[in-house]
Amino acid sequence: MAGADTTLERARPWSAPRHMTEPAVIRWLLIGVVLVFLGLVLILPLITVFVQAFAKGWEVYTRSITEPDALAAIRLTLLTAAIAVPLNTCFGIAAAWLITKYQFRGKQLLITLIDLPFAVSPVISGLIFVLLFGASGLLGPWLQEHGIRILFALPGIVLATIFVTFPFVARELIPIMQDQGNQEEEAAATMGAGGWKIFWKITLPNIKWGLLYGIILCNARAMGEFGAVSVVSGHIRGMTNTLPLHVEILYNEYQFTASFAAASLLVFLALVTLAVKHLMEWKHRQSLADAYTYKGEGQDADRS
């Protein structure tokens, strides 16, 4: 019975220690403050977006999101994310592997550089690409001579999106791989396993939930990025406008219903992202609970 109780305690969700408990009045006051804040700052604006989007009926809403410029913006947004997210995923895995598995000079500098897009304004990052690839920029004349177009085209939009989103996957994987250590990989290497086999059979299964979580966040930011893309895109309607830029243009032209209709697609994307994120976290908690339960049953069997 003692062993069974231990197993249940391990699988039981976390509960607050006694010294952290507060009177019921304090708890309900904090809950009320949080709910009011979320209602005013988050829930009410989201409801407003959908109310305004459907203010003139379903027919107007459908026409707003299926007109040529809107469809072009949706296609460009999806294409940009389809290019940027896999590249950032590969970079994130490689960077996390390098930082957690090897010791080398400049490791802290590399970690700082990975965090740099979190500190730099997206508009500034867009201006960096203008200074590099613009007509009077560092590489602009050479690009013009060879007929290569970066700014006001898909390559510039993809580069700007990659810049602002590449930390997400790496930053999710680094702490996970640091906590796991190198013991399993080293044991597999001593048994003759190659690098790719170690990665696919040991490392990837151990980091899969963190990797999926990082990909989800990276994808959501890539589709919703505005500042950096706005600088490098040129706002060419039907060609270089992503969905966030399309929303801004419609709003500035006082086409409020069409603007909110396009914005509702981004809100829907955010809600789907949150749902998938919650599902990933739930599955991760379930896998941890199952692992603790299995481990506890094994220890009980050993004791008996």
Side-chain angles (χ1 to χ4, degrees):
M1 293 297 293
D5 293 341
T6 303
T7 302
L8 290 174
E9 289 176 0
R10 285 174 178 159
R12 187 177 299 148
W14 180 86
S15 58
R18 292 180 179 178
H19 67 276
M20 292 179 63
T21 57
E22 305 90 2
V25 175
I26 301 298
R27 289 201 303 273
W28 284 108
L29 179 62
L30 292 175
I31 293 172
V33 170
V34 171
L35 290 178
V36 170
F37 183 84
L38 289 177
L40 294 176
V41 177
L42 179 64
I43 298 175
L44 186 59
L46 292 180
I47 293 175
T48 302
V49 169
F50 285 102
V51 170
Q52 293 295 327
F54 290 97
K56 296 184 179 179
W58 175 258
E59 183 179 351
V60 175
Y61 176 85
T62 305
R63 192 187 317 128
S64 299
I65 62 175
T66 56
E67 55 98 10
D69 288 344
L71 292 177
I74 294 171
R75 285 193 296 267
L76 181 59
T77 302
L78 295 176
L79 178 59
T80 301
I83 297 173
V85 173
L87 291 176
N88 282 335
T89 301
C90 294
F91 168 80
I93 294 173
W97 182 283
L98 177 65
I99 290 171
T100 58
K101 307 299 181 183
Y102 299 97
Q103 295 295 331
F104 57 92
R105 290 183 179 180
K107 179 187 285 191
Q108 291 302 319
L109 177 61
L110 176 59
I111 295 175
T112 302
L113 291 176
I114 291 175
D115 291 338
L116 188 61
F118 288 138
V120 176
S121 168
V123 175
I124 300 302
S125 65
L127 289 174
I128 292 172
F129 289 107
V130 172
L131 294 175
L132 283 175
F133 305 120
S136 58
L138 183 63
L139 301 176
W142 184 88
L143 292 173
Q144 285 185 337
E145 289 178 4
H146 293 79
I148 301 174
R149 189 174 183 181
I150 301 296
L151 295 181
F152 311 144
L154 177 63
I157 295 173
V158 171
L159 285 174
T161 303
I162 289 175
F163 181 88
V164 299
T165 57
F166 77 78
F168 286 95
V169 175
R171 260 304 169 193
E172 286 298 323
L173 294 182
I174 289 172
I176 295 175
M177 297 176 72
Q178 284 176 336
D179 290 340
Q180 290 174 350
N182 302 329
Q183 291 81 5
E184 294 185 23
E185 286 89 348
E186 291 174 353
T190 58
M191 297 175 65
W196 279 110
K197 189 172 183 179
I198 291 174
F199 174 77
W200 288 108
K201 297 293 185 180
I202 297 176
T203 305
L204 188 59
N206 288 336
I207 66 172
K208 62 180 180 180
W209 297 118
L211 178 60
L212 289 172
Y213 186 51
I215 291 173
I216 290 170
L217 293 179
C218 181
N219 182 71
R221 179 62 190 275
M223 290 190 177
E225 175 54 33
F226 176 83
V229 173
S230 177
V231 175
V232 302
S233 70
H235 294 266
I236 303 175
R237 204 160 186 165
M239 295 180 62
T240 64
N241 271 346
T242 59
L243 197 53
L245 302 183
H246 183 65
V247 171
E248 183 204 26
I249 287 180
L250 292 175
Y251 191 84
N252 290 336
E253 293 178 348
Y254 302 102
Q255 300 183 46
F256 298 123
T257 301
S259 174
F260 281 107
S264 69
L265 297 178
L266 292 172
V267 174
F268 179 74
L269 169 66
L271 295 177
V272 171
T273 300
L274 289 176
V276 175
K277 170 182 171 291
H278 178 74
L279 178 62
M280 294 296 103
E281 292 176 342
W282 177 79
K283 284 184 173 293
H284 182 52
R285 289 194 299 267
Q286 287 294 111
S287 63
L288 289 178
D290 293 341
Y292 279 126
T293 302
Y294 178 78
K295 184 177 179 181
E297 291 174 353
Q299 291 176 349
D300 295 340
D302 292 339
R303 292 193 191 99
S304 61

